[in-house]
Amino acid sequence: MAKATAFDPRPWYLLSPALLAIAFLVIAPICFILVYSFYINVDLGVDEVAFQFGNWQDLLTDSYYHNAIWKTFRMAVIVTVLAAFLGYIPAYFIAHTNFRRKWLLLLLLILPFWVSFIIRTMSWIHIMGNQGAINGVLIWLGLTDEPISMMYNEFAVIVGFIHVFLPYMILNVYVSLEGIDRNLEPAARTLGCTPWQAFREVTLPLSLPGLAAGSLLVFVLTAGSYVTPIILGGPNDFLFGNLIYDAVVSELNWPMGATLSFTLLFLLGIVVVIYSRFMGLNQLYKALS
Amino acid sequence: MKQDSTKRYEKLREVMGNGDIDRRSFMGLLGAAGLVAGVGGGIMTTLSRQALAAGTELHFEGWGGIVSEALRKNAFDPYEAKTGNSVIDATFGGEEEVLTKLKAAGSIDGHNIIHSSGIAWYKRWVDNGYASEINEKNIPNMANVMEAVLKPFRAVTPDHLSAAPYDYGTTGIAYNTKYVSEADAKAMGANLLLNKELKGKIGGWGGDWANRAWYGALQSGQDPNDITDWDAVWDKVREHRGLILKYWSSGAELMDLLAKEEIYVTEAWSGRVAALQAQGHPIGYFDPKNGLAWMETMFVLKGSPMAEAEELLNFMLAPETSIAVAEGQKYPPALDPSKVEMTDMVKGLPAFDPTGKLDGLVFRDPVKWNEVEKDQKKMWNRVKKGA
């Protein structure tokens, strides 16, 4: 009869600071949010402790919330797909360039993070606005007499999202491409592949983990946003996060805000679980480290 | 140093929005600001916080843009030089935002004085337990404040005041005179905001449900202080929504949209329009019949250092300070013109009442509006999003 392995507590001792931090800073607040979702908002900013499902019933039966979820996931998919296309090219360039100071290119990539997210978003008003740079050039070249309206619509919101989140995609794809053996593509070429076939059959499949990790980050960050539509969007451009803002800040209805927050967390959690099931989270760790 | 990096960015953005800087300079400064913030921001912020520890700190939150600039230049800087205390000013997105932060934090740390809007919000701060008790003996300049302004606040807190009334204004209609004539604008009144010919060139304030409902009431032919048909109000709001380019969310954004001709027509705050006019923009302004007037206070939160706060309020209410701020922010002061001689510039400000009685202005009835706020604000947030 095999002897049972003795329980070794030492790894748990070592892990305990991290586990405590996660318990207090992540799990406990989420539990608070869940508990709050059962409370009743009796007046603006006045909540009553209760255990009832009124807020959840509203969420599940009111098409207003369902429409916002649909709009949010639709926008997240659009931004993710565009960021994947637009991000792959610079990532490929950085990974394969012979430029000796590659660190400089990577520095340029993270340089925008030094400027406030809100200011970066607002800068598009001065680029795409009626009196912005693009319209200024078009009018100066005589291509149009009147400014072309580009702001305060879905297009402007998508541009704002891609501008802010593209570096996450590029970095993830870059890390993935950097890990591919440089000899594989020439080897495929010597076996008769065209350059496009070599990329499609060798490089692209091997870089998919990075592409998927970047896509996950861009998707989750987009779906959780609310400021970009406020600054760059029109009245039809809002995401689920804007409903949470309305409930918590405008209506001072924290129980409903907690219900909506937990719902968004749950839905995005499902996306992460699906990703983890198929891709694992290792690639994310690599890129983020 | 009294500003954090975010505040500096806000100011830069507002200067650009107000048309005081060209695009190229803005982009150059933006790059430089990013570099400085990245390289030296952390160290400088730490050092400045240590330096600030010398006097008492008063945290002030207000509406940003020209209003904050006027207060900083004409009130806070001279007050700091005179007393050695520090006023740390910040811009809020609305008083709801401040209340949410206070409730979440469970303390008023970092919050002392709010540039609060109207009696409705005064009552809300009081109802939520944030009412301080101001000793009016420490604010002798309060004697110059219009009785008509003080009276509604005393009705909410009969034993004491928690705020000093400071200014008033109107939310009327601004229009670009290049595209809309004065005669047409005034003939259409509140319905100018529903002019289908201006579709895509109309704006609206998205930050306040009552403002939107007030105009919905005017457009549906109702007395805003006695609305009987809320469905008709929201129908008009939906009609307006279908015509607008954007709901603006701050005074700086309002000025930016009008100055850059993104929109030609919107309801607007009188002082912001006066500032645009002073910069030479072709913007007209009128108050439609029963247009919305409001008054603002400097509300002191319970738990703030009262002696220093009262000293600041007295300093701010001094005629020379109050008039200088009024000229800067373009809103008339709460001082009684029958007691304090106003300058010609103040006398020319929109909404200025030389009688000191404010009889010609229509304010929100807090009883009527507060009792429906919970339901109608929820409704507004939905209508705003197309529901």
Side-chain angles (χ1 to χ4, degrees):
Chain A
M1 198 167 127
K3 190 181 172 185
T5 309
F7 173 72
D8 183 357
R10 283 176 302 177
W12 291 103
Y13 293 146
L14 293 171
L15 278 172
S16 57
L19 290 174
L20 279 174
I22 289 170
F24 280 107
L25 300 176
V26 180
I27 296 173
I30 290 173
C31 291
F32 278 128
I33 291 175
L34 183 60
V35 169
Y36 225 100
S37 72
F38 300 115
Y39 288 10
I40 301 172
N41 177 248
V42 290
D43 199 0
L44 291 163
V46 183
D47 304 321
E48 191 177 286
V49 176
F51 184 71
Q52 51 86 43
F53 295 89
N55 299 315
W56 288 98
Q57 191 179 353
D58 284 352
L59 174 79
L60 294 172
T61 57
D62 194 334
S63 61
Y64 172 65
Y65 300 114
H66 308 160
N67 179 42
I69 291 171
W70 157 246
K71 281 175 79 84
T72 302
F73 276 74
R74 176 180 167 277
M75 175 63 77
V77 168
I78 290 171
V79 172
T80 303
V81 170
L82 287 173
F85 277 111
L86 295 172
Y88 202 98
I89 298 162
Y92 189 89
F93 172 78
I94 296 171
H96 288 86
T97 184
N98 291 322
F99 183 53
R100 282 191 299 172
R101 294 182 177 82
K102 199 182 274 189
W103 61 268
L104 195 61
L105 298 175
L106 292 169
L107 182 69
L108 285 174
L109 202 60
I110 60 168
L111 205 59
F113 289 110
W114 290 8
V115 177
S116 153
F117 159 76
I118 291 176
I119 291 294
R120 276 185 286 152
T121 303
M122 282 180 160
S123 65
W124 285 103
I125 297 171
H126 305 295
I127 295 170
M128 300 201 303
N130 273 2
Q131 295 179 11
I134 294 174
N135 271 314
V137 170
L138 291 176
I139 291 171
W140 181 70
L141 291 173
L143 297 174
T144 178
D145 294 330
E146 294 289 318
I148 298 170
S149 185
M150 289 177 276
M151 282 300 301
Y152 311 118
N153 51 33
E154 189 178 59
F155 169 72
V157 175
I158 291 170
V159 168
F161 274 136
I162 289 177
H163 168 216
V164 172
F165 297 142
L166 196 59
Y168 295 100
M169 180 66 81
I170 296 174
L171 281 173
N172 274 282
V173 176
Y174 164 75
V175 169
S176 195
L177 287 169
E178 208 32 39
I180 299 173
D181 187 337
R182 288 280 184 111
N183 296 314
L184 288 179
E185 217 169 297
R189 294 286 306 279
T190 59
L191 292 172
C193 282
T194 63
W196 170 243
Q197 279 177 318
F199 170 76
R200 204 184 60 203
E201 305 283 343
V202 178
T203 308
L204 183 60
L206 289 173
S207 65
L208 274 182
L211 197 60
S215 298
L216 176 71
L217 279 177
V218 172
F219 186 93
V220 170
L221 290 170
T222 304
S225 296
Y226 74 97
V227 172
T228 307
I230 290 176
I231 297 173
L232 300 178
N236 291 319
D237 303 303
F238 61 91
L239 300 179
F240 200 71
N242 297 95
L243 270 57
I244 298 173
Y245 180 88
D246 283 348
V248 174
V249 177
S250 171
E251 296 165 21
L252 299 172
N253 184 350
W254 286 20
M256 194 66 213
T259 308
L260 300 178
S261 300
F262 195 86
T263 301
L264 185 60
L265 187 72
F266 179 75
L267 293 173
L268 294 181
I270 290 176
V271 173
V272 175
V273 168
I274 291 171
Y275 168 86
S276 173
R277 172 74 180 79
F278 289 102
M279 307 298 297
L281 293 173
N282 287 345
Q283 185 66 31
L284 268 182
Y285 301 147
K286 263 196 263 178
L288 292 174
S289 61
Chain B
M1 189 177 288
K2 305 166 197 73
Q3 301 168 346
D4 59 14
S5 300
T6 305
K7 178 71 182 168
R8 276 193 291 271
Y9 283 132
E10 279 173 4
K11 284 195 72 173
L12 175 60
R13 152 79 183 140
E14 280 164 6
V15 168
M16 178 66 185
N18 296 346
D20 296 342
I21 190 172
D22 61 57
R23 187 178 62 237
R24 186 173 293 175
S25 303
F26 172 80
M27 292 302 181
L29 283 170
L30 188 56
L35 199 62
V36 170
V39 175
I43 299 166
M44 292 309 291
T45 304
T46 306
L47 290 175
S48 67
R49 281 182 183 152
Q50 287 169 358
L52 273 173
T56 302
E57 287 181 358
L58 287 167
H59 293 266
F60 173 88
E61 283 153 294
W63 296 94
I66 57 165
V67 175
S68 287
E69 286 166 18
L71 288 167
R72 167 53 58 193
K73 181 182 168 191
N74 301 297
F76 300 154
D77 282 345
Y79 169 78
E80 288 177 340
K82 186 182 172 192
T83 64
N85 296 329
S86 302
V87 180
I88 300 166
D89 55 325
T91 301
F92 55 42
E95 287 174 78
E96 292 98 338
E97 185 183 297
V98 182
L99 182 56
T100 305
K101 285 180 184 173
L102 295 180
K103 276 169 62 74
S107 83
I108 65 151
D109 282 354
H111 309 267
N112 296 126
I113 301 173
I114 314 287
H115 197 168
S116 179
S117 183
I119 304 154
W121 262 101
Y122 183 84
K123 189 169 184 313
R124 175 147 308 123
W125 289 117
V126 171
D127 291 346
N128 277 273
Y130 292 105
S132 61
E133 293 195 19
I134 286 178
N135 183 351
E136 290 184 50
K137 286 179 186 164
N138 293 336
I139 311 179
N141 286 322
M142 191 84 94
N144 288 329
V145 173
M146 285 182 274
E147 196 51 44
V149 174
L150 285 167
K151 193 176 168 187
F153 296 104
R154 291 202 196 282
V156 178
T157 49
D159 300 332
H160 60 85
L161 283 175
S162 301
Y166 202 67
D167 55 64
Y168 64 99
T170 57
T171 303
I173 295 178
Y175 57 97
N176 189 314
T177 54
K178 279 162 65 178
Y179 304 99
V180 180
S181 72
E182 183 180 352
D184 285 349
K186 290 186 175 170
M188 294 188 80
N191 284 328
L192 181 60
L193 298 172
L194 302 177
N195 187 347
K196 290 183 175 57
E197 290 174 10
L198 297 173
K199 183 175 182 179
K201 287 294 179 184
I202 299 174
W205 184 21
D208 181 24
W209 75 278
N211 173 83
R212 191 81 273 126
W214 187 281
Y215 270 90
L218 292 179
Q219 288 155 350
S220 60
Q222 300 186 69
D223 175 357
N225 273 327
D226 190 20
I227 295 173
T228 52
D229 185 354
W230 278 98
D231 288 341
V233 168
W234 296 122
D235 282 346
K236 287 296 176 185
V237 173
R238 287 189 186 93
E239 190 179 335
H240 174 249
R241 182 186 180 278
L243 299 171
I244 68 165
L245 175 72
K246 184 173 177 59
Y247 286 119
W248 46 269
S249 54
S250 70
E253 191 177 17
L254 159 68
M255 291 174 72
D256 195 35
L257 290 168
L258 281 171
K260 293 194 167 67
E261 299 189 3
E262 296 282 358
I263 58 174
Y264 301 155
V265 170
T266 178
E267 77 268 18
W269 301 331
S270 53
R272 300 288 180 153
V273 176
L276 282 170
Q277 289 169 337
Q279 290 165 11
H281 294 285
I283 306 295
Y285 179 83
F286 70 99
D287 286 307
K289 191 183 171 200
N290 279 333
L292 174 62
W294 38 263
M295 54 184 94
E296 292 181 325
T297 66
M298 297 297 163
F299 191 98
V300 182
L301 295 170
K302 187 178 178 181
S304 299
M306 291 307 293
E308 288 81 359
E310 287 160 358
E311 186 181 18
L312 174 62
L313 295 186
N314 191 51
F315 187 89
M316 292 174 76
L317 284 172
E320 61 275 18
T321 309
S322 197
I323 288 171
V325 171
E327 289 182 349
Q329 69 167 349
K330 314 287 186 209
Y331 292 116
L335 302 183
D336 191 336
S338 66
K339 296 178 183 172
V340 177
E341 179 62 28
M342 299 291 168
T343 60
D344 289 341
M345 185 188 275
V346 171
K347 288 175 185 170
L349 290 174
F352 175 73
D353 180 3
T355 68
K357 299 186 186 310
L358 303 182
D359 288 338
L361 300 176
V362 185
F363 296 89
R364 268 180 218 153
D365 178 347
V367 176
K368 294 269 187 183
W369 283 87
N370 280 13
E371 72 182 7
V372 297
E373 181 165 2
K374 180 172 163 54
D375 292 336
Q376 300 304 339
K377 184 183 259 184
K378 185 177 176 184
M379 187 67 179
W380 153 240
N381 281 328
R382 286 167 174 250
V383 172
K384 186 180 171 183
K385 292 180 176 59

